[in-house]
Amino acid sequence: MAGKTPREALLERIQNRTATVGVIGLGYVGLPLAVEFAKAGFHVVGFDVSERVCKLLMDGKSHIQDVPASEIAAIVREGLFVATTDEAALAQADALSIAVPTPLSKTRDPDMSYVIAAAQTATRQAHAGMLVVLESTTYPGTTREVLLPPLSERGLTVGEDVFVAFSPERVDPGNPVYHTKNTPKVVGGITPACVELASALYASCIDRIVPVASPEAAELVKLLENTFRSVNIGLVNEMAIVCDKLGVDVWEVIDAAATKPFGFMKFTPGPGIGGHCIPLDPHYLAWKMRTLNYKTRFIDLASEINSQMPALVVAKVALALNGDKKAVNGSNVLVLGVAYKRDIDDVRESPALDVIRLLEEQGAVVTFHDPYIDTVREDGHLRHGVALTPASIAATDAVVVVTDHGNVDYQLVMDNAKVIVDSRNVTRNLVKTNARVVSLAANSVTRAGL
Ligand SMILES: NC(=O)c1ccc[n+]([C@@H]2O[C@H](COP(=O)([O-])OP(=O)(O)OC[C@H]3O[C@@H](n4cnc5c(N)ncnc54)[C@H](O)[C@@H]3O)[C@@H](O)[C@H]2O)c1
């Protein structure tokens, strides 16, 4: 490509699909993205620090529920995808997407160690004509502060030699409608050439690209989206507490409000929030704003309310057992669903873990059932799930519905349980039996005939 600028050469390689794309971090975000790039015809090099993940993928298997093993096997077989722990393989890439974790530290500040390590990897393998895009959710300013200085130190000028952008990932695990390909992708580049190239790359495999003026704007878009969810879940959880005190059915109130065809968006209460995004991401923004002497009150309040929900669920268990003249101490409690949301197999930050811990602290004997999860490791303690049978249900003093998976036979639970604490309203349309149902959010106890 003699005579072409690095920008022109890279654009051409993207447009004619001869570019090689590197993906750093092959988890919930990186793996679906790598598959989309490969399906678009690019050669994809996936780099992950986990030997286990790379071996699994090269064997044509998948560790991510939403990515079928058959797709991995096909792109490996066609030579379009390799997964490796050898970062030197990224040197052949024309573009890098970074999708590594952004957790919180013990003090709930951003833990940037993974992004910094990935930025160092990218910098070591960078060459003139390379595009580097950060996808990990993070505080506004990260792309400019963490990615740019090491690239500049290597003598690469951003916007001329190398191109840097931020493009937040919006994947919604378990969503049957929206996947990587049909979810619009926001892109913010350091320079116009950066946003142009990043947009061209993603447009090759994602239906709609939404360019914004800067990486900071793109970083903030993601934080607004997830803060919006956190705050609205906090609001509706507070409404559940309000309804509980007033003796009103919160689910009925929400469903009726949702008939308004404008100006209302339905959120539902529950046992708390989980996953890698909603409980963590808003704290990245809160932390950043604290450095600017500003307190993000909505974030703090929503977090406070949402994090109290597991304790409310456990209080309901105590109330329910009390109705049978039993104490939590010594009672057998079955936690139904431990994933952080329905129809997925992810327990990260799941409120079910808090519910289990709080029940055990009060002396309950806790078991769990989750159709997607066989074992849960919490505080170094490995626990195995139990089968959901009439006998296992009947053997419990109370069943607590924490996650409303779609493939659980709730009528079976209703038919065999003595007491059900229903934090998700899964029992609403079941045939009533002698099981007492205690709702998260109405000061009432229902059973057949009541
Ligand atoms: N999971 C989601 O639903 C979701 C949705 C949108 C955005 N995000 C964001 O995307 C980012 C990634 O999240 P995830 O859920 O995919 O995480 P994940 O834990 O599923 O995957 C991350 C992968 O990165 C690997 N890794 C860690 N450090 C590395 C390094 N230095 N170099 C190479 N690989 C490394 C890990 O081994 C792991 O396989 C986070 O910032 C998260 O907030 C996640």
Side-chain angles (χ1 to χ4, degrees):
M1 299 196 186
K4 291 199 169 71
T5 64
R7 182 191 75 78
E8 290 164 343
L10 180 54
L11 191 59
E12 192 173 306
R13 287 169 75 79
I14 290 171
Q15 285 169 343
N16 64 22
R17 304 288 202 271
T18 54
T20 296
V21 181
V23 177
I24 301 181
L26 298 170
Y28 285 89
V29 168
L31 187 62
L33 191 65
V35 170
E36 285 306 327
F37 282 133
K39 287 205 287 198
F42 293 107
H43 280 92
V44 179
V45 177
F47 167 68
D48 200 291
V49 289
S50 166
E51 297 261 6
R52 184 188 64 82
V53 165
C54 292
K55 173 158 187 347
L56 198 87
L57 295 171
M58 291 311 285
D59 287 345
K61 297 180 183 140
S62 174
H63 61 302
I64 302 295
Q65 191 187 334
D66 285 344
V67 181
S70 57
E71 290 195 357
I72 304 289
I75 58 177
V76 169
R77 199 170 45 242
E78 288 161 27
L80 287 171
F81 176 66
V82 287
T84 175
T85 55
D86 177 11
E87 72 161 57
L90 295 172
Q92 59 176 296
D94 300 287
L96 296 179
S97 285
I98 300 174
V100 294
T102 44
L104 295 176
S105 70
K106 282 207 161 59
T107 54
R108 300 195 76 70
D109 289 337
D111 173 358
M112 298 303 292
S113 58
Y114 300 90
V115 171
I116 291 169
Q120 288 166 347
T121 296
T123 303
R124 280 192 294 271
Q125 305 309 328
H127 53 77
M130 187 185 256
L131 167 69
V132 183
V133 185
L134 181 61
E135 298 243 351
S136 301
T137 308
T138 182
Y139 65 85
T142 305
T143 308
R144 207 176 289 275
E145 290 166 20
V146 177
L147 263 63
L148 256 50
L151 288 167
S152 303
E153 276 167 29
R154 275 207 48 201
L156 296 162
T157 304
V158 174
E160 289 177 23
D161 305 320
V162 286
F163 307 92
V164 176
F166 182 83
S167 181
E169 180 52 55
R170 289 167 152 172
V171 70
D172 181 19
N175 190 317
V177 178
Y178 290 105
H179 309 286
T180 302
K181 186 172 186 337
N182 63 356
T183 304
K185 191 112 173 82
V186 172
V187 178
I190 298 282
T191 70
C194 298
V195 77
E196 177 196 28
L197 289 165
S199 300
L201 177 70
Y202 288 112
S204 63
C205 60
I206 293 172
D207 296 343
R208 185 172 162 223
I209 306 301
V210 184
V212 294
S214 65
E216 288 77 12
E219 289 160 339
L220 209 41
V221 167
K222 178 71 187 179
L223 295 178
L224 170 61
E225 290 166 6
N226 283 358
T227 300
F228 174 86
R229 287 194 63 75
S230 172
V231 167
N232 280 286
I233 294 169
L235 172 65
V236 85
N237 278 336
E238 184 165 66
M239 195 53 70
I241 295 167
V242 166
C243 285
D244 194 40
K245 292 189 182 301
L246 294 173
V248 175
D249 181 348
V250 68
W251 313 100
E252 183 182 30
V253 172
I254 292 168
D255 283 347
T259 60
K260 185 179 178 186
F262 48 87
F264 184 82
M265 184 180 282
K266 182 175 171 178
F267 283 80
T268 48
I273 49 176
H276 190 331
C277 296
I278 312 291
L280 311 185
D281 300 351
H283 293 285
Y284 271 69
L285 182 56
W287 172 85
K288 176 68 189 177
M289 296 318 295
R290 279 201 300 277
T291 70
L292 300 174
N293 289 326
Y294 183 81
K295 189 169 157 56
T296 49
R297 287 155 288 174
F298 275 106
I299 291 175
D300 294 355
L301 186 57
S303 170
E304 187 185 320
I305 293 171
N306 292 331
S307 63
Q308 285 171 1
M309 296 310 287
L312 181 65
V313 172
V314 171
K316 291 286 179 184
V317 176
L319 176 79
L321 290 169
N322 193 45
D324 283 342
K325 299 187 169 50
K326 288 178 185 167
V328 175
N329 195 351
S331 286
N332 291 310
V333 181
L334 175 70
V335 171
L336 191 46
V338 290
Y340 79 85
K341 68 172 182 175
R342 64 180 287 147
D343 299 341
I344 64 159
D345 62 358
D346 192 350
V347 291
R348 290 180 297 178
E349 309 286 329
S350 174
L353 304 176
D354 289 328
V355 169
I356 292 173
R357 183 178 47 77
L358 291 168
L359 284 168
E360 287 189 337
E361 278 172 10
Q362 294 187 39
V365 180
V366 183
T367 50
F368 83 87
H369 172 81
D370 191 306
Y372 294 94
I373 296 164
D374 296 331
T375 55
V376 168
R377 186 180 291 281
E378 176 65 358
D379 289 338
H381 173 189
L382 185 70
R383 52 180 90 237
H384 296 271
V386 297
L388 196 66
T389 64
S392 70
I393 299 165
T396 63
D397 297 298
V399 176
V400 193
V401 179
V402 174
T403 315
D404 52 343
H405 289 307
N407 58 354
V408 169
D409 184 351
Y410 294 107
Q411 189 64 53
L412 182 81
V413 179
M414 193 75 156
D415 290 346
N416 292 282
K418 299 178 192 72
V419 168
I420 303 170
V421 175
D422 183 3
S423 74
R424 300 283 193 178
N425 206 26
V426 297
T427 51
R428 168 178 281 186
N429 296 320
L430 299 180
V431 178
K432 297 284 181 282
T433 64
N434 279 334
R436 279 189 303 117
V437 179
V438 176
S439 165
L440 177 68
N443 212 1
S444 59
V445 176
T446 57
R447 60 152 57 103
L450 292 183

